[in-house]
Amino acid sequence: MARKSSVTRLSPDLRRQIDKALTDGRMTLDELHEFVSGKCAAAGADAPSRTALWRYSTNFSAAAQVMRENRDMARALAQELGPDSVEGEQGRLLVDMLRGLLFRTLQDRTGSPDAKFDAAEIDKIARSLKNLSQAMSLEADFAKRIKDEARREAQAQIRDRIKELGTAAELKNLSDEELAQKLAELTVEKGLV
């Protein structure tokens, strides 16, 4: 098994600073090595070699490139699937699944230049996810219609029960006890209790 990189053994704070410098592109390799060496000397730790920083920056750049490609493909996928398919938790999960698959594929391609990238397979998966997303959207619409119908029925039953109580003038003439008794009878009759 390969030895752990001397850069990854640095403190998390210093690694964040290195990552930020690499992301910003504001330092040359020599400047980065000088910066890290100064930080390590101040902390009393061994500084990684210039070569170790170069390897780390190369891997960092490759990973960043893969992430950019992954983000671009996810955007393209979201456009292909349409806005309805990425709304809601299930749609986001589908896109995340495909994003993960694309990420692994791109990572394999980056790690091994000879690795094949099967765009047709990714396209088939994307289309399958699109079909699944559309089916889930239909299912969600059906569930919403059922819920709306149940709500309308409940509202109609409540209106009917209110009418059975009597007019406002009749209700005003009832005492609290009589009103409570009438409500209790009405709910027992309708099977609410």
Side-chain angles (χ1 to χ4, degrees):
M1 184 165 110
R3 225 174 55 183
K4 189 174 180 181
S5 167
S6 57
V7 177
T8 58
R9 289 183 284 185
L10 296 172
S11 71
D13 182 52
L14 183 53
R15 275 201 327 269
R16 274 192 294 276
Q17 291 176 26
I18 293 170
D19 291 349
K20 178 146 179 49
L22 291 172
T23 302
D24 295 345
R26 59 183 167 91
M27 290 185 182
T28 65
L29 184 58
D30 290 327
E31 291 170 337
L32 183 62
H33 183 254
E34 188 176 316
F35 169 76
V36 172
S37 295
K39 291 283 187 175
C40 287
D46 292 335
S49 67
R50 183 180 184 282
T51 305
L53 282 171
W54 175 80
R55 278 192 304 270
Y56 183 81
S57 70
T58 302
N59 290 337
F60 184 88
S61 296
Q65 179 63 30
V66 167
M67 290 174 72
R68 281 190 293 276
E69 289 175 6
N70 181 26
R71 191 172 41 244
D72 292 343
M73 285 189 182
R75 276 194 201 111
L77 171 66
Q79 288 175 349
E80 173 73 23
L81 293 177
D84 294 338
S85 63
V86 293
E87 290 177 3
E89 183 64 22
Q90 290 176 330
R92 284 188 292 279
L93 288 174
L94 288 174
V95 172
D96 283 344
M97 284 172 41
L98 188 58
R99 184 181 296 155
L101 175 66
L102 291 173
F103 179 75
R104 282 192 302 280
T105 302
L106 290 172
Q107 199 171 30
D108 290 345
R109 188 178 71 178
T110 302
S112 171
D114 298 334
K116 286 188 176 182
F117 179 74
D118 191 357
E121 186 66 25
I122 298 294
D123 186 55
K124 286 179 191 175
I125 293 170
R127 290 180 193 281
S128 296
L129 288 175
K130 178 181 180 183
N131 293 340
L132 180 59
S133 176
Q134 289 172 341
M136 288 187 327
S137 179
L138 288 173
E139 181 182 333
D141 289 346
F142 182 68
K144 184 180 181 301
R145 281 196 309 250
I146 289 173
K147 192 184 287 185
D148 289 345
E149 180 62 31
R151 186 182 71 246
R152 282 192 293 274
E153 287 177 13
Q155 288 171 341
Q157 287 177 356
I158 290 171
R159 279 192 293 275
D160 291 344
R161 288 184 197 126
I162 290 172
K163 287 178 185 174
E164 290 177 22
L165 284 174
T167 64
E170 293 172 342
L171 292 175
K172 283 183 184 178
N173 293 331
L174 296 176
S175 69
D176 289 343
E177 292 169 359
E178 291 171 327
L179 181 58
Q181 177 64 30
K182 196 165 189 171
L183 286 172
E185 290 171 2
L186 186 62
T187 56
V188 169
E189 286 175 17
K190 297 299 179 181
L192 294 175
V193 180

